[in-house]
């Protein structure tokens, strides 16, 4: 439905510390990026990632969408 939320920079203690993820509130796609501003390598969690292959503890920005 075009609904999107994002966090451009996880510099408040969350950067490089995410090892799993879960979608919520109808956002069925959850992207993790290894650079700020949704750039660089990424992993898609549709909607959950119980592990983060190749991106474990490397997330610097996020994007959620329905």
């Amino acid at each position: 439905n075009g609904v999107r939320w994002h966090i451009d920079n996880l510099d408040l203690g969350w950067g490089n510390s995410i090892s799993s993820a879960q979608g919520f509130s109808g956002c069925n796609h959850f992207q993790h990026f290894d650079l700020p501003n949704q750039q660089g390598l990424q992993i898609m969690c549709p909607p959950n990632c119980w592990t983060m292959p190749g991106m474990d503890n490397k997330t610097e920005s996020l994007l959620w969408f329905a």
Side-chain angles (χ1 to χ4, degrees):
N1 67 10
V3 176
R4 298 168 64 100
W5 288 275
H6 60 91
I7 298 175
D8 291 331
N9 195 341
L10 290 171
D11 60 356
L12 298 175
W14 283 96
N16 295 320
S17 65
I18 296 174
S19 58
S20 65
Q22 184 173 2
F24 63 95
S25 192
C27 287
N28 298 322
H29 299 81
F30 190 10
Q31 284 180 282
H32 293 248
F33 297 85
D34 74 338
L35 296 174
N37 302 309
Q38 295 77 43
Q39 300 292 315
L41 298 175
Q42 61 181 292
I43 187 172
M44 173 72 77
C45 299
N48 304 316
C49 286
W50 305 120
T51 62
M52 305 283 283
M55 286 289 291
D56 189 35
N57 295 316
K58 294 181 180 177
T59 299
E60 285 292 328
S61 59
L62 299 166
L63 173 65
W64 295 267
F65 57 96

